Amino acid sequence: RLAEESRRAIQVASVIGREFALRLLARLTEAGDSVREQVDELRSLELIYEKALHPELAYMFKHALTHDVAYESVVVERRRVLHCSIGRVIEEVYADRLAEHYETLAHHYGRGGDLARALHYHHRSAEKAAEAHANRAVTDHCRAALAIADQLGASVADDVRRRLNELLGLACFHLSEFAASGAAYEEAASCSDAAEARSLNLGAAALSHFWAHRYDTAQRCIGAARAVARKGGVPAGEALALVVRGFYRGVHDADIEGLEQDLQAAMEIAEREKHELVETFARVYLAMKSEWTGDYASAFQRAESAIVLGRRLRRPELIIFPGWFLAKARCCTGDFGGAIALLEEAYHLCDRIGDRAWKSRLLNTLGWCFAEIGHHDQARGFNERAAILAREIGDPEILSNADINLAMNHLELGDVGRACAYLRPIEEAVSIPGDPWMRWRYAMHVHHARGCIELARGNLDEVLASAQAQLMGAERHRAPKVVGRARTLAARALIALDRRQEAEHELREALAVAERIGHRSGVWEAELQLRELAVRSGDRARSEQHLGRARAA
């Protein structure tokens, strides 16, 4: 029922999009100022409405259905021509701020069949989204561009394919889509003859595959990266492969010595070659090793320097991960407020980039921090959220740690039955072969939780057995904080059994470890138990002395 001019205007507007600028419509219909008459008619019929006055006059279809009907009424060939015309007009009209329109141009040239231009603007859109850490948009544009590149074939330069796959690999890594990230980095490596690009992309692929728990593939990529780096004389590529191999040895093999050797070697190469990205990765995982082994001063220095480099490189994962280890070290040394602030900052950064895997770990650690200061209700809330995310991701390590924390929360809140219900499935899982990712570490926490539950039940021989199992693991894996925790747990059972001399020995050993590494909670707990021994012995002076030290800690 519309007049011919108005019908044509609404059809052209529909091809521009659900929203359209009056200036574009005027250029495309070649109606000039007279297009306002058609727009006024469309407004009076309530088909469109004014959307914005600034930075220019723009309108919007009132209903999506109206837009769709108008769009489908344009014959297919005419539509293709219009899409390409719209792209060219946008390039001309908005030449001074074209970056604002990359996504729109990719859409129009794609619909118009100008594949070369569509590829170009999808690539520009992906780079723009990457700058803003809009990782879902990055993956969408990269995949669209790569699909077009496949259609265009050999006319697309390998360097373009490489760069698109690198963008895709990093975005997928930030989105916790680690297998897809590894595949993208491997494809990027295959698109380059340059040894540096190939070795670094193979190293990145190895890291992503390892995070995906694809261990054989990770090992293959580590070997390939080192071979390419050595043949091509690329020390940075060799260093990145060593970083990933060291991380693998620590997390998968519980080989703390091997972890440190590989990371130190990588650090020396990266510093000599002045390769900041590889140096940052090495610092991150060295901070991890320092936190594990109770060297908190070193953990502070390495994590803080990694965060500075991560910010300079604008790599969120190199801010989040060292921030996590720095927070854990601060919690262990008694700076709970500083730890919680770091964890919350990293959590918000995870939200910004779309990550889920690190977010779950951060929630877990927030739960641990709040439990350390006796706020078990709030701790339980964080751990429950961590467990939900871990189940979605399907990561056994994160889920195990969350459920161990929840067992301890319920125990502290007086519900021994629920504590057992959370712990029992994890005990069953660690008793049989399974995914080795950090199993060596969370197995120690399982023994501790079981010991605490049995202490509440009064099963003191079982407490001693759990403490001994925890102690053996802690000594084997160079975890002094856990050594102190195991000895204090054993001492509590020994005190209850009135084996005072043995209890005092365990507590003196625990206290020495806690003081040496600066573990404030460990000092506090050991001093409180030493006070209990003094009370039982009727030594009031020693009792007051230990109580004073506990309060100071």
Side-chain angles (χ1 to χ4, degrees), residues 525-540:
E525 288 204 26
E527 290 286 6
L528 281 182
Q529 294 305 314
L530 284 165
R531 180 205 181 219
E532 176 64 21
L533 274 177
V535 168
R536 287 177 179 241
S537 300
D539 190 334
R540 184 170 179 177

Side-chain angles (χ1 to χ4, degrees), residues 3 9 18 42 146 191 202 232 252 257 261 293 297 372 399 424 455 497 520:
R18 179 90 189 271
L42 298 173
L146 288 165
C191 291
L202 284 167
H252 184 278
E257 297 293 341
Q261 288 168 10
T293 56
E372 287 282 288
L399 182 57
R424 198 172 294 113
L455 186 65
L497 290 165
R520 294 296 93 200

Side-chain angles (χ1 to χ4, degrees), residues 35 39 53 56 86 96 163 204 206 242 247 261 271 288 318 322 343 346-347 372 375 388-389 418 433 450 465 472:
V35 78
V39 168
L53 280 171
E56 62 183 319
I86 292 164
D96 58 336
R163 179 60 186 145
L242 284 171
F247 183 45
Q261 288 168 10
E271 287 180 333
M288 174 186 75
L318 298 178
L343 292 167
Y347 180 87
E372 287 282 288
H375 205 326
I388 290 168
L389 260 181
R418 289 196 74 185
R450 173 51 63 190
M472 289 174 61

Side-chain angles (χ1 to χ4, degrees), residues 24-45:
L24 284 183
L25 183 62
R27 286 285 300 271
L28 288 157
T29 58
E30 299 178 357
D33 290 341
S34 66
V35 78
R36 286 181 177 272
E37 296 175 18
Q38 287 90 55
V39 168
D40 287 342
E41 182 183 357
L42 298 173
R43 284 182 68 194
S44 68
L45 294 170

